[in-house]
Amino acid sequence: SINQQYRFDVEGHVSTFGHPEWARTHEPASSTSPAVSTLIQSGATCIGTTVIDNFAYGISGQNKHFGTPTNPAVPARVPGGSSSGAAVAVAANFVDFSLGQLLIYSQFSVQVSILHHTNGVDTSGGVRVPAGFCGILGFRPSHGAVSHVGIIPISTSLDTVGWFAKDPDILRRVGHILLQAPFVMQRSPRQIVIADDCFQQLNVPLDRSSQVVIKATEKLFGKQVLKHINLEDYISSKVPSLKAYSNQKLNGELKSSSLKLLASIMQFLQRHEFGNKHDEWMSIVKPDLHPAVSAQLQEKFDVSEVEIENSKSVRTEMRAALNSLLKVIILLCSLFNLKSF
């Protein structure tokens, strides 16, 4: 069965987009999102939808209108967002895998008897964050690898369909269906790069973060595949457009680190693209929002075309830099939103 985030169109149903006012002011979908229909055609059955932050714009997974799903891993903590309900459904063993806000019960093949899954959309962590908070697997493929048709957009240049599972084999099988990729023999990586500076930014001791990753990698593939880099230095040398921001304030703060600059630029582009799609509706309806979402969306957002184009230049250069780095290696870093670019 499939559990999906309620940003995906399902024929005959109205998406809430994480807010009752959205459902009240929109018509039922006339067709089903290809991401959902592909799974259904492979044997899945949609059994329900799950909670997200208001307009999938939060990272805590909290929703004042529909309630906040309980994190099965740590009930006293938030589940993470935006795809909180989908992650919780997998973590609580309600389903085997999920698309951001849909619950699916499926029988894909003779080899896989009964599967449940949930899918999500990862714009700036919407799959990766709740997966980490709930102690399950979350996968965000490359931008555009899975069709965006029939998905309510937040940021068209960043929105990426992802999915959750507990079992790595199920995660892989769902990926083969959504990515339309053939099954091939698994190959060992030729090189794995550890981005040491990303782990150092965590509020977690290195013996509980990077050292765990390093030891696990060495056990699986041997020490010879490991290489350590400073990702910030690499980005600074490969993304020259960042220099334009070196002495400027972004989101009211002076950013010195290229990693922090990238995060702010990503948030800037996300807010700009969200506004292009939804600010008119927001100004007319004036929906009541969770405070964390309200702080981001209801603040006046005036930007110039020059600022937008400069940010897009950074994004283009960043994508090229990461593509070059990842051609022959696997990059391991902390939960930092670099791949959102």
Side-chain angles (χ1 to χ4, degrees), residues 7 13 91 95 132 135 184 196 199 210 233 237 239-240 258 261 284 321 340:
R7 281 177 65 188
H13 294 268
V95 292
V184 296
D196 292 318
F199 285 100
S210 62
D233 289 346
S237 66
V239 187
S258 60
L261 275 172
I284 295 171
S340 292

Side-chain angles (χ1 to χ4, degrees), residues 50-69:
T50 55
V51 172
I52 57 172
D53 293 86
N54 295 152
F55 312 122
Y57 214 91
I59 204 167
S60 68
Q62 297 171 294
N63 190 305
K64 63 185 292 184
H65 305 284
F66 300 117
T68 301

Side-chain angles (χ1 to χ4, degrees), residues 26-177:
H26 288 78
E27 297 295 322
S30 59
S31 60
T32 298
S33 162
V36 177
S37 59
T38 296
L39 291 165
I40 291 173
Q41 290 163 10
S42 297
T45 303
C46 183
I47 62 171
T49 59
T50 55
V51 172
I52 57 172
D53 293 86
N54 295 152
F55 312 122
Y57 214 91
I59 204 167
S60 68
Q62 297 171 294
N63 190 305
K64 63 185 292 184
H65 305 284
F66 300 117
T68 301
T70 300
N71 185 337
V74 192
R77 303 295 180 91
V78 296
S82 62
S83 304
S84 51
V88 165
V90 171
N93 296 313
F94 296 150
V95 292
D96 290 333
F97 69 103
S98 68
L99 268 179
Q101 297 151 26
L102 272 185
L103 289 171
I104 297 180
Y105 186 75
S106 63
Q107 186 168 357
F108 285 135
S109 66
V110 175
Q111 289 76 24
V112 183
S113 55
I114 300 297
L115 296 180
H116 302 67
H117 96 279
T118 63
N119 291 13
V121 177
D122 192 313
T123 304
S124 56
V127 169
R128 291 163 291 166
V129 170
F133 282 22
C134 293
I136 60 174
L137 301 173
F139 183 72
R140 180 192 196 273
S142 297
H143 178 262
V146 180
S147 173
H148 292 175
V149 175
I151 297 172
I152 302 172
I154 293 178
S155 174
T156 52
S157 69
L158 297 172
D159 291 343
T160 303
V161 175
W163 52 96
F164 301 96
K166 271 190 171 181
D167 186 329
D169 186 57
I170 291 176
L171 192 82
R172 179 175 64 90
R173 288 174 180 271
V174 174
H176 279 292
I177 292 170

